[in-house]
Amino acid sequence: MSRAIEIPAADGTIDAHIFTPGSADRPLSAVVLFTDIGGLRLCYHEKAQQLADNGYAVLMPNVYYRDARGPVVPEGKSFRDPDVRPRLFGYAGRLTPEALSRDFAALLGCIDNEREFAKGKIGVVGYCMTGAFALRMAAAHPERVAVAAGFHSANLAKADDPNSLVHVVEAIEGRVYLGHADKDELLPPEQIARMDEALAKAGVHFTTELYKGAAHGFTAKDAPSYDAAADALHHRRLAMLLEETL
């Protein structure tokens, strides 16, 4: 089951969706699910519902609400198309750490006020560029985020980046799980090593796993890199992680 919701935020109104199991008769632990760079679309609605069916209330916001409502990729097009991709990168460029900080506050306000969500700590999961969002939210709100996960994350730890996550992960108190695509050009081995080192130095309870043979975007059913076996493993890992922490 799902319903659309509008969330007041410092920079506008976030259009979002809340997903719950069909049998839900009480508030459930909250999980924020950030989409990949392609934004809201069918395969992410399916992903959010599958996660909710494990017994959670899932909040999926439109990360591009400042520029567009609802799906940002026109029907029949792909976010890989040359006439679509530059626009999405333009939208993504506005998602600075400062902007995300304001969005995180708005999402937590929604969780605190909507009937589907139980009181207590939450989980956060992101994909592609939003794997970094999940960890950043965990660092910004360590008292609220029990677990953060990122799958086929992009650019988690670029060298000489003043906004790199490596500078904030020491604030994380919850669990972290990172499921990486094998030979991912958007997250090369040196970045994985740099991220692992920062998490270890910070004393964060984390797990890094390489999905052997899987390419970037392996969980997105509408992507040519979709890998059904790796996607199924991602769902199992996420279900176990949330069960252990929430």
Side-chain angles (χ1 to χ4, degrees), residues 91-104:
Y91 293 169
R94 300 185 62 186
L95 302 178
T96 63
E98 295 75 20
L100 290 173
S101 177
R102 297 190 292 273
D103 293 350
F104 297 157

Side-chain angles (χ1 to χ4, degrees), residues 78-95:
S78 166
F79 56 85
R80 291 169 177 79
D81 290 344
D83 57 339
V84 175
R85 191 177 180 89
R87 184 168 74 251
L88 296 187
F89 275 100
Y91 293 169
R94 300 185 62 186
L95 302 178

